[in-house]
mmCIF file of all heavy atoms in Angstrom:
data_model
loop_
_atom_site.group_PDB
_atom_site.id
_atom_site.type_symbol
_atom_site.label_atom_id
_atom_site.label_comp_id
_atom_site.label_asym_id
_atom_site.label_seq_id
_atom_site.Cartn_x
_atom_site.Cartn_y
_atom_site.Cartn_z
ATOM 1 N N SER A 1 0.843 -1.202 0.000
ATOM 2 C CA SER A 1 0.000 0.000 0.000
ATOM 3 C C SER A 1 0.873 1.245 0.000
ATOM 4 O O SER A 1 1.988 1.248 0.538
ATOM 5 C CB SER A 1 -0.920 0.011 1.227
ATOM 6 O OG SER A 1 -0.192 0.319 2.408
ATOM 7 N N TRP A 2 0.350 2.305 -0.619
ATOM 8 C CA TRP A 2 1.076 3.565 -0.648
ATOM 9 C C TRP A 2 1.234 4.141 0.760
ATOM 10 O O TRP A 2 2.265 4.734 1.088
ATOM 11 C CB TRP A 2 0.353 4.566 -1.549
ATOM 12 C CG TRP A 2 0.898 5.949 -1.405
ATOM 13 C CD1 TRP A 2 0.264 7.041 -0.897
ATOM 14 C CD2 TRP A 2 2.220 6.389 -1.736
ATOM 15 N NE1 TRP A 2 1.095 8.132 -0.888
ATOM 16 C CE2 TRP A 2 2.304 7.757 -1.403
ATOM 17 C CE3 TRP A 2 3.336 5.752 -2.277
ATOM 18 C CZ2 TRP A 2 3.468 8.497 -1.599
ATOM 19 C CZ3 TRP A 2 4.488 6.492 -2.474
ATOM 20 C CH2 TRP A 2 4.550 7.846 -2.134
ATOM 21 N N ALA A 3 0.245 3.930 1.611
ATOM 22 C CA ALA A 3 0.321 4.474 2.963
ATOM 23 C C ALA A 3 1.519 3.910 3.720
ATOM 24 O O ALA A 3 2.254 4.653 4.394
ATOM 25 C CB ALA A 3 -0.979 4.170 3.722
ATOM 26 N N ASP A 4 1.736 2.599 3.617
ATOM 27 C CA ASP A 4 2.874 1.982 4.302
ATOM 28 C C ASP A 4 4.190 2.451 3.702
ATOM 29 O O ASP A 4 5.168 2.687 4.426
ATOM 30 C CB ASP A 4 2.777 0.460 4.206
ATOM 31 C CG ASP A 4 1.648 -0.103 5.043
ATOM 32 O OD1 ASP A 4 1.201 0.594 5.980
ATOM 33 O OD2 ASP A 4 1.204 -1.229 4.759
ATOM 34 N N CYS A 5 4.217 2.560 2.379
ATOM 35 C CA CYS A 5 5.426 3.047 1.713
ATOM 36 C C CYS A 5 5.732 4.469 2.148
ATOM 37 O O CYS A 5 6.873 4.800 2.473
ATOM 38 C CB CYS A 5 5.240 2.974 0.198
ATOM 39 S SG CYS A 5 6.609 3.692 -0.753
ATOM 40 N N GLU A 6 4.720 5.315 2.164
ATOM 41 C CA GLU A 6 4.912 6.725 2.521
ATOM 42 C C GLU A 6 5.431 6.859 3.950
ATOM 43 O O GLU A 6 6.283 7.716 4.242
ATOM 44 C CB GLU A 6 3.599 7.478 2.360
ATOM 45 C CG GLU A 6 3.734 8.979 2.547
ATOM 46 C CD GLU A 6 2.439 9.698 2.281
ATOM 47 O OE1 GLU A 6 1.361 9.127 2.606
ATOM 48 O OE2 GLU A 6 2.473 10.827 1.780
ATOM 49 N N THR A 7 4.944 6.019 4.851
ATOM 50 C CA THR A 7 5.425 6.057 6.228
ATOM 51 C C THR A 7 6.912 5.780 6.304
ATOM 52 O O THR A 7 7.636 6.373 7.108
ATOM 53 C CB THR A 7 4.667 5.011 7.078
ATOM 54 O OG1 THR A 7 3.276 5.332 7.093
ATOM 55 C CG2 THR A 7 5.196 4.988 8.505
ATOM 56 N N SER A 8 7.396 4.888 5.431
ATOM 57 C CA SER A 8 8.806 4.525 5.440
ATOM 58 C C SER A 8 9.699 5.598 4.835
ATOM 59 O O SER A 8 10.840 5.770 5.249
ATOM 60 C CB SER A 8 9.002 3.217 4.674
ATOM 61 O OG SER A 8 10.359 2.867 4.632
ATOM 62 N N ILE A 9 9.187 6.357 3.847
ATOM 63 C CA ILE A 9 10.050 7.291 3.109
ATOM 64 C C ILE A 9 9.853 8.755 3.472
ATOM 65 O O ILE A 9 10.765 9.565 3.273
ATOM 66 C CB ILE A 9 9.849 7.131 1.588
ATOM 67 C CG1 ILE A 9 8.423 7.515 1.199
ATOM 68 C CG2 ILE A 9 10.169 5.708 1.148
ATOM 69 C CD1 ILE A 9 8.181 7.543 -0.300
ATOM 70 N N LYS A 10 8.676 9.116 3.997
ATOM 71 C CA LYS A 10 8.376 10.526 4.233
ATOM 72 C C LYS A 10 9.351 11.142 5.228
ATOM 73 O O LYS A 10 9.523 10.645 6.342
ATOM 74 C CB LYS A 10 6.944 10.686 4.734
ATOM 75 C CG LYS A 10 6.480 12.138 4.766
ATOM 76 C CD LYS A 10 5.000 12.233 5.104
ATOM 77 C CE LYS A 10 4.521 13.679 5.079
ATOM 78 N NZ LYS A 10 3.064 13.762 5.390
ATOM 79 N N GLY A 11 10.012 12.201 4.788
ATOM 80 C CA GLY A 11 10.956 12.893 5.646
ATOM 81 C C GLY A 11 12.338 12.288 5.691
ATOM 82 O O GLY A 11 13.250 12.850 6.297
ATOM 83 N N HIS A 12 12.524 11.140 5.054
ATOM 84 C CA HIS A 12 13.854 10.513 5.023
ATOM 85 C C HIS A 12 14.727 11.261 4.025
ATOM 86 O O HIS A 12 14.322 11.454 2.865
ATOM 87 C CB HIS A 12 13.743 9.049 4.634
ATOM 88 C CG HIS A 12 15.004 8.267 4.861
ATOM 89 N ND1 HIS A 12 16.121 8.404 4.060
ATOM 90 C CD2 HIS A 12 15.335 7.346 5.811
ATOM 91 C CE1 HIS A 12 17.068 7.599 4.491
ATOM 92 N NE2 HIS A 12 16.613 6.951 5.556
ATOM 93 N N PRO A 13 15.903 11.718 4.419
ATOM 94 C CA PRO A 13 16.726 12.567 3.544
ATOM 95 C C PRO A 13 17.204 11.889 2.265
ATOM 96 O O PRO A 13 17.486 12.557 1.276
ATOM 97 C CB PRO A 13 17.914 12.946 4.443
ATOM 98 C CG PRO A 13 17.978 11.859 5.465
ATOM 99 C CD PRO A 13 16.548 11.480 5.718
ATOM 100 N N SER A 14 17.310 10.552 2.266
ATOM 101 C CA SER A 14 17.827 9.846 1.083
ATOM 102 C C SER A 14 16.849 8.794 0.570
ATOM 103 O O SER A 14 17.252 7.824 -0.062
ATOM 104 C CB SER A 14 19.172 9.183 1.423
ATOM 105 O OG SER A 14 20.098 10.112 1.923
ATOM 106 N N ALA A 15 15.576 8.996 0.842
ATOM 107 C CA ALA A 15 14.577 7.987 0.483
ATOM 108 C C ALA A 15 14.596 7.678 -1.011
ATOM 109 O O ALA A 15 14.759 8.559 -1.854
ATOM 110 C CB ALA A 15 13.195 8.467 0.890
ATOM 111 N N ARG A 16 14.440 6.399 -1.299
ATOM 112 C CA ARG A 16 14.410 5.956 -2.694
ATOM 113 C C ARG A 16 13.460 4.782 -2.817
ATOM 114 O O ARG A 16 13.572 3.804 -2.078
ATOM 115 C CB ARG A 16 15.804 5.552 -3.149
ATOM 116 C CG ARG A 16 15.919 5.483 -4.660
ATOM 117 C CD ARG A 16 17.354 5.357 -5.082
ATOM 118 N NE ARG A 16 17.452 5.526 -6.519
ATOM 119 C CZ ARG A 16 18.354 4.947 -7.279
ATOM 120 N NH1 ARG A 16 19.252 4.143 -6.738
ATOM 121 N NH2 ARG A 16 18.390 5.156 -8.567
ATOM 122 N N TYR A 17 12.525 4.886 -3.770
ATOM 123 C CA TYR A 17 11.539 3.825 -3.935
ATOM 124 C C TYR A 17 11.045 3.807 -5.382
ATOM 125 O O TYR A 17 11.259 4.737 -6.153
ATOM 126 C CB TYR A 17 10.358 4.039 -2.994
ATOM 127 C CG TYR A 17 9.465 5.190 -3.405
ATOM 128 C CD1 TYR A 17 8.266 4.950 -4.087
ATOM 129 C CD2 TYR A 17 9.809 6.501 -3.128
ATOM 130 C CE1 TYR A 17 7.454 5.987 -4.480
ATOM 131 C CE2 TYR A 17 9.004 7.553 -3.516
ATOM 132 C CZ TYR A 17 7.819 7.301 -4.195
ATOM 133 O OH TYR A 17 7.018 8.338 -4.592
ATOM 134 N N ARG A 18 10.399 2.705 -5.753
ATOM 135 C CA ARG A 18 9.763 2.575 -7.058
ATOM 136 C C ARG A 18 8.500 1.742 -6.899
ATOM 137 O O ARG A 18 8.398 0.907 -5.993
ATOM 138 C CB ARG A 18 10.686 1.879 -8.076
ATOM 139 C CG ARG A 18 11.843 2.695 -8.559
ATOM 140 C CD ARG A 18 11.418 3.828 -9.481
ATOM 141 N NE ARG A 18 12.581 4.472 -10.079
ATOM 142 C CZ ARG A 18 13.351 5.370 -9.486
ATOM 143 N NH1 ARG A 18 13.089 5.725 -8.224
ATOM 144 N NH2 ARG A 18 14.384 5.908 -10.109
ATOM 145 N N SER A 19 7.549 1.942 -7.791
ATOM 146 C CA SER A 19 6.337 1.124 -7.791
ATOM 147 C C SER A 19 6.435 0.078 -8.891
ATOM 148 O O SER A 19 7.044 0.318 -9.946
ATOM 149 C CB SER A 19 5.104 2.007 -8.035
ATOM 150 O OG SER A 19 5.162 2.607 -9.320
ATOM 151 N N TYR A 20 5.834 -1.088 -8.639
ATOM 152 C CA TYR A 20 5.852 -2.191 -9.593
ATOM 153 C C TYR A 20 4.464 -2.828 -9.641
ATOM 154 O O TYR A 20 3.722 -2.806 -8.645
ATOM 155 C CB TYR A 20 6.900 -3.234 -9.197
ATOM 156 C CG TYR A 20 8.305 -2.685 -9.245
ATOM 157 C CD1 TYR A 20 8.916 -2.179 -8.103
ATOM 158 C CD2 TYR A 20 9.013 -2.646 -10.442
ATOM 159 C CE1 TYR A 20 10.201 -1.641 -8.153
ATOM 160 C CE2 TYR A 20 10.295 -2.119 -10.507
ATOM 161 C CZ TYR A 20 10.877 -1.624 -9.357
ATOM 162 O OH TYR A 20 12.151 -1.102 -9.419
ATOM 163 N N PRO A 21 4.089 -3.398 -10.778
ATOM 164 C CA PRO A 21 2.728 -3.921 -10.946
ATOM 165 C C PRO A 21 2.460 -5.244 -10.242
ATOM 166 O O PRO A 21 1.309 -5.641 -10.134
ATOM 167 C CB PRO A 21 2.604 -4.074 -12.465
ATOM 168 C CG PRO A 21 4.008 -4.279 -12.937
ATOM 169 C CD PRO A 21 4.854 -3.429 -12.039
ATOM 170 N N SER A 22 3.488 -5.927 -9.763
ATOM 171 C CA SER A 22 3.270 -7.205 -9.082
ATOM 172 C C SER A 22 4.246 -7.352 -7.923
ATOM 173 O O SER A 22 5.312 -6.716 -7.897
ATOM 174 C CB SER A 22 3.456 -8.374 -10.052
ATOM 175 O OG SER A 22 4.819 -8.520 -10.416
ATOM 176 N N ARG A 23 3.881 -8.188 -6.965
ATOM 177 C CA ARG A 23 4.762 -8.435 -5.816
ATOM 178 C C ARG A 23 6.062 -9.100 -6.264
ATOM 179 O O ARG A 23 7.134 -8.814 -5.735
ATOM 180 C CB ARG A 23 4.059 -9.311 -4.769
ATOM 181 C CG ARG A 23 4.895 -9.563 -3.522
ATOM 182 C CD ARG A 23 4.163 -10.420 -2.518
ATOM 183 N NE ARG A 23 2.996 -9.751 -1.983
ATOM 184 C CZ ARG A 23 3.028 -8.888 -0.962
ATOM 185 N NH1 ARG A 23 4.189 -8.572 -0.408
ATOM 186 N NH2 ARG A 23 1.916 -8.342 -0.516
ATOM 187 N N ALA A 24 5.950 -10.004 -7.253
ATOM 188 C CA ALA A 24 7.140 -10.701 -7.730
ATOM 189 C C ALA A 24 8.156 -9.715 -8.305
ATOM 190 O O ALA A 24 9.357 -9.819 -8.041
ATOM 191 C CB ALA A 24 6.750 -11.738 -8.789
ATOM 192 N N GLU A 25 7.685 -8.758 -9.111
ATOM 193 C CA GLU A 25 8.599 -7.758 -9.674
ATOM 194 C C GLU A 25 9.173 -6.864 -8.580
ATOM 195 O O GLU A 25 10.355 -6.521 -8.601
ATOM 196 C CB GLU A 25 7.879 -6.913 -10.718
ATOM 197 C CG GLU A 25 7.669 -7.586 -12.039
ATOM 198 C CD GLU A 25 7.204 -6.610 -13.106
ATOM 199 O OE1 GLU A 25 7.961 -5.677 -13.427
ATOM 200 O OE2 GLU A 25 6.082 -6.777 -13.616
ATOM 201 N N ALA A 26 8.330 -6.482 -7.639
ATOM 202 C CA ALA A 26 8.797 -5.631 -6.553
ATOM 203 C C ALA A 26 9.864 -6.338 -5.721
ATOM 204 O O ALA A 26 10.880 -5.739 -5.344
ATOM 205 C CB ALA A 26 7.623 -5.224 -5.662
ATOM 206 N N ARG A 27 9.664 -7.617 -5.453
ATOM 207 C CA ARG A 27 10.637 -8.392 -4.685
ATOM 208 C C ARG A 27 11.918 -8.587 -5.472
ATOM 209 O O ARG A 27 13.016 -8.465 -4.918
ATOM 210 C CB ARG A 27 10.022 -9.747 -4.315
ATOM 211 C CG ARG A 27 10.974 -10.760 -3.681
ATOM 212 C CD ARG A 27 11.663 -10.230 -2.450
ATOM 213 N NE ARG A 27 10.735 -9.792 -1.436
ATOM 214 C CZ ARG A 27 11.112 -9.271 -0.273
ATOM 215 N NH1 ARG A 27 12.398 -9.112 0.003
ATOM 216 N NH2 ARG A 27 10.216 -8.882 0.619
ATOM 217 N N ALA A 28 11.803 -8.866 -6.770
ATOM 218 C CA ALA A 28 12.990 -9.033 -7.611
ATOM 219 C C ALA A 28 13.803 -7.744 -7.670
ATOM 220 O O ALA A 28 15.040 -7.764 -7.631
ATOM 221 C CB ALA A 28 12.586 -9.465 -9.017
ATOM 222 N N ALA A 29 13.110 -6.605 -7.742
ATOM 223 C CA ALA A 29 13.809 -5.319 -7.762
ATOM 224 C C ALA A 29 14.525 -5.080 -6.444
ATOM 225 O O ALA A 29 15.666 -4.587 -6.420
ATOM 226 C CB ALA A 29 12.812 -4.186 -8.037
ATOM 227 N N PHE A 30 13.869 -5.427 -5.334
ATOM 228 C CA PHE A 30 14.488 -5.261 -4.022
ATOM 229 C C PHE A 30 15.744 -6.110 -3.909
ATOM 230 O O PHE A 30 16.788 -5.656 -3.415
ATOM 231 C CB PHE A 30 13.495 -5.631 -2.928
ATOM 232 C CG PHE A 30 14.041 -5.497 -1.534
ATOM 233 C CD1 PHE A 30 14.264 -4.250 -0.985
ATOM 234 C CD2 PHE A 30 14.341 -6.619 -0.780
ATOM 235 C CE1 PHE A 30 14.777 -4.114 0.307
ATOM 236 C CE2 PHE A 30 14.854 -6.500 0.500
ATOM 237 C CZ PHE A 30 15.066 -5.241 1.044
ATOM 238 N N GLU A 31 15.676 -7.356 -4.393
ATOM 239 C CA GLU A 31 16.828 -8.251 -4.331
ATOM 240 C C GLU A 31 17.952 -7.773 -5.250
ATOM 241 O O GLU A 31 19.125 -8.019 -4.975
ATOM 242 C CB GLU A 31 16.404 -9.671 -4.700
ATOM 243 C CG GLU A 31 15.507 -10.313 -3.645
ATOM 244 C CD GLU A 31 15.022 -11.687 -4.048
ATOM 245 O OE1 GLU A 31 15.280 -12.093 -5.207
ATOM 246 O OE2 GLU A 31 14.368 -12.355 -3.212
ATOM 247 N N ALA A 32 17.587 -7.096 -6.331
ATOM 248 C CA ALA A 32 18.607 -6.555 -7.237
ATOM 249 C C ALA A 32 19.375 -5.413 -6.590
ATOM 250 O O ALA A 32 20.527 -5.146 -6.956
ATOM 251 C CB ALA A 32 17.968 -6.086 -8.537
ATOM 252 N N GLY A 33 18.758 -4.713 -5.648
ATOM 253 C CA GLY A 33 19.472 -3.683 -4.901
ATOM 254 C C GLY A 33 19.188 -2.264 -5.315
ATOM 255 O O GLY A 33 19.403 -1.329 -4.546
ATOM 256 N N SER A 34 18.715 -2.058 -6.543
ATOM 257 C CA SER A 34 18.418 -0.712 -7.020
ATOM 258 C C SER A 34 17.536 -0.811 -8.254
ATOM 259 O O SER A 34 17.521 -1.853 -8.942
ATOM 260 C CB SER A 34 19.696 0.049 -7.365
ATOM 261 O OG SER A 34 20.285 -0.468 -8.553
ATOM 262 N N PRO A 35 16.795 0.248 -8.578
ATOM 263 C CA PRO A 35 15.970 0.215 -9.793
ATOM 264 C C PRO A 35 16.808 0.006 -11.047
ATOM 265 O O PRO A 35 16.389 -0.692 -11.971
ATOM 266 C CB PRO A 35 15.299 1.599 -9.799
ATOM 267 C CG PRO A 35 15.351 2.056 -8.385
ATOM 268 C CD PRO A 35 16.620 1.495 -7.816
ATOM 269 N N GLU A 36 18.009 0.601 -11.070
ATOM 270 C CA GLU A 36 18.871 0.479 -12.242
ATOM 271 C C GLU A 36 19.346 -0.956 -12.434
ATOM 272 O O GLU A 36 19.384 -1.473 -13.559
ATOM 273 C CB GLU A 36 20.060 1.421 -12.119
ATOM 274 C CG GLU A 36 19.709 2.897 -12.160
ATOM 275 C CD GLU A 36 19.151 3.416 -10.851
ATOM 276 O OE1 GLU A 36 19.275 2.707 -9.817
ATOM 277 O OE2 GLU A 36 18.576 4.512 -10.848
ATOM 278 N N ALA A 37 19.737 -1.607 -11.329
ATOM 279 C CA ALA A 37 20.212 -2.985 -11.418
ATOM 280 C C ALA A 37 19.087 -3.898 -11.898
ATOM 281 O O ALA A 37 19.304 -4.788 -12.732
ATOM 282 C CB ALA A 37 20.738 -3.457 -10.067
ATOM 283 N N TYR A 38 17.883 -3.668 -11.400
ATOM 284 C CA TYR A 38 16.751 -4.491 -11.815
ATOM 285 C C TYR A 38 16.422 -4.269 -13.287
ATOM 286 O O TYR A 38 16.137 -5.210 -14.026
ATOM 287 C CB TYR A 38 15.534 -4.180 -10.954
ATOM 288 C CG TYR A 38 14.308 -4.959 -11.342
ATOM 289 C CD1 TYR A 38 14.299 -6.347 -11.286
ATOM 290 C CD2 TYR A 38 13.157 -4.314 -11.779
ATOM 291 C CE1 TYR A 38 13.175 -7.079 -11.642
ATOM 292 C CE2 TYR A 38 12.028 -5.030 -12.136
ATOM 293 C CZ TYR A 38 12.042 -6.410 -12.070
ATOM 294 O OH TYR A 38 10.932 -7.128 -12.435
ATOM 295 N N LYS A 39 16.497 -3.010 -13.716
ATOM 296 C CA LYS A 39 16.224 -2.703 -15.115
ATOM 297 C C LYS A 39 17.219 -3.396 -16.028
ATOM 298 O O LYS A 39 16.864 -3.917 -17.091
ATOM 299 C CB LYS A 39 16.277 -1.187 -15.341
ATOM 300 C CG LYS A 39 15.873 -0.760 -16.749
ATOM 301 C CD LYS A 39 15.975 0.752 -16.902
ATOM 302 C CE LYS A 39 14.957 1.456 -16.049
ATOM 303 N NZ LYS A 39 14.959 2.924 -16.274
ATOM 304 N N GLN A 40 18.494 -3.419 -15.601
ATOM 305 C CA GLN A 40 19.521 -4.078 -16.407
ATOM 306 C C GLN A 40 19.262 -5.579 -16.504
ATOM 307 O O GLN A 40 19.403 -6.190 -17.569
ATOM 308 C CB GLN A 40 20.906 -3.822 -15.808
ATOM 309 C CG GLN A 40 22.043 -4.495 -16.550
ATOM 310 C CD GLN A 40 22.213 -3.976 -17.952
ATOM 311 O OE1 GLN A 40 21.857 -2.822 -18.234
ATOM 312 N NE2 GLN A 40 22.742 -4.797 -18.849
ATOM 313 N N ILE A 41 18.881 -6.183 -15.401
ATOM 314 C CA ILE A 41 18.586 -7.608 -15.403
ATOM 315 C C ILE A 41 17.394 -7.907 -16.307
ATOM 316 O O ILE A 41 17.409 -8.860 -17.094
ATOM 317 C CB ILE A 41 18.321 -8.106 -13.971
ATOM 318 C CG1 ILE A 41 19.615 -8.069 -13.152
ATOM 319 C CG2 ILE A 41 17.739 -9.517 -13.980
ATOM 320 C CD1 ILE A 41 19.422 -8.383 -11.690
ATOM 321 N N ARG A 42 16.367 -7.090 -16.237
ATOM 322 C CA ARG A 42 15.197 -7.299 -17.086
ATOM 323 C C ARG A 42 15.540 -7.093 -18.555
ATOM 324 O O ARG A 42 15.013 -7.792 -19.427
ATOM 325 C CB ARG A 42 14.072 -6.358 -16.666
ATOM 326 C CG ARG A 42 13.400 -6.719 -15.366
ATOM 327 C CD ARG A 42 12.808 -8.121 -15.400
ATOM 328 N NE ARG A 42 11.857 -8.293 -16.467
ATOM 329 C CZ ARG A 42 10.547 -8.050 -16.363
ATOM 330 N NH1 ARG A 42 10.056 -7.649 -15.202
ATOM 331 N NH2 ARG A 42 9.742 -8.226 -17.379
ATOM 332 N N ARG A 43 16.405 -6.117 -18.824
ATOM 333 C CA ARG A 43 16.820 -5.882 -20.205
ATOM 334 C C ARG A 43 17.522 -7.116 -20.759
ATOM 335 O O ARG A 43 17.289 -7.536 -21.898
ATOM 336 C CB ARG A 43 17.734 -4.665 -20.281
ATOM 337 C CG ARG A 43 18.062 -4.239 -21.714
ATOM 338 C CD ARG A 43 18.982 -3.027 -21.726
ATOM 339 N NE ARG A 43 18.345 -1.882 -21.103
ATOM 340 C CZ ARG A 43 18.823 -1.238 -20.054
ATOM 341 N NH1 ARG A 43 19.950 -1.652 -19.489
ATOM 342 N NH2 ARG A 43 18.186 -0.200 -19.549
ATOM 343 N N ALA A 44 18.383 -7.699 -19.937
ATOM 344 C CA ALA A 44 19.074 -8.913 -20.369
ATOM 345 C C ALA A 44 18.090 -10.070 -20.509
ATOM 346 O O ALA A 44 18.193 -10.892 -21.426
ATOM 347 C CB ALA A 44 20.174 -9.271 -19.371
#
């Protein structure tokens, strides 16, 4: 949920997040470590 995400990032000086259409993609992106790393893996 956006509410839970916002609680984690609001006011954080270096907050970084992305939205994904499925839990599997969101988890894979988290395991990749960054949106860029996940994008590269998906591109490959």
